Amino acid sequence: QTLAFAQVCDAVTGPETGVLNAMGQEPDVGKLLFLSHSTARNISEHWVNTVNLEAKGCECWPCHKLHGSGFTTCTRDEETGAALCQARISLEDFMDGLNGLLRTHRRKAA
């Protein structure tokens, strides 16, 4: 259901998940990707209509690790409880990226 709905959205936002990976080559769907363990070169370099958001001031990013065991191998941001690389993506960068995608890739109403 999620993938079917994502195909008709103006934009999909989120971390490096199956949904964003599945939408990578969908030309009519804007993607706003929160980079976590990898870089744009590793995951989204060839995606279309994509804005990559990366952590600022995060020494452990990119770690190139899959953290299946919680925070035993990942740095946790104490204020938010999220991974540090996600907490260090600013709301301003998110809004700028989303607004840019919606200006250029919004679907026309039927």
Side-chain angles (χ1 to χ4, degrees), residues 17-37:
T17 64
V19 176
L20 271 292
N21 281 299
M23 294 298 107
Q25 294 301 312
E26 288 291 331
D28 295 329
V29 177
K31 276 77 63 186
L32 188 63
L33 177 63
F34 303 165
L35 293 169
S36 58
H37 61 279

Side-chain angles (χ1 to χ4, degrees), residues 29-85:
V29 177
K31 276 77 63 186
L32 188 63
L33 177 63
F34 303 165
L35 293 169
S36 58
H37 61 279
S38 54
T39 66
R41 183 172 184 213
N42 301 129
I43 188 167
S44 59
E45 181 176 46
H46 301 289
W47 292 8
V48 295
N49 303 335
T50 303
V51 172
N52 294 291
L53 299 177
E54 40 184 79
K56 292 185 177 133
C58 181
E59 300 77 32
C60 56
W61 179 84
C63 66
H64 302 291
K65 296 178 186 175
L66 294 177
H67 304 285
S69 57
F71 287 97
T72 58
T73 59
C74 179
T75 305
R76 185 177 191 160
D77 179 65
E78 294 304 320
E79 183 179 340
T80 64
L84 186 62
C85 62

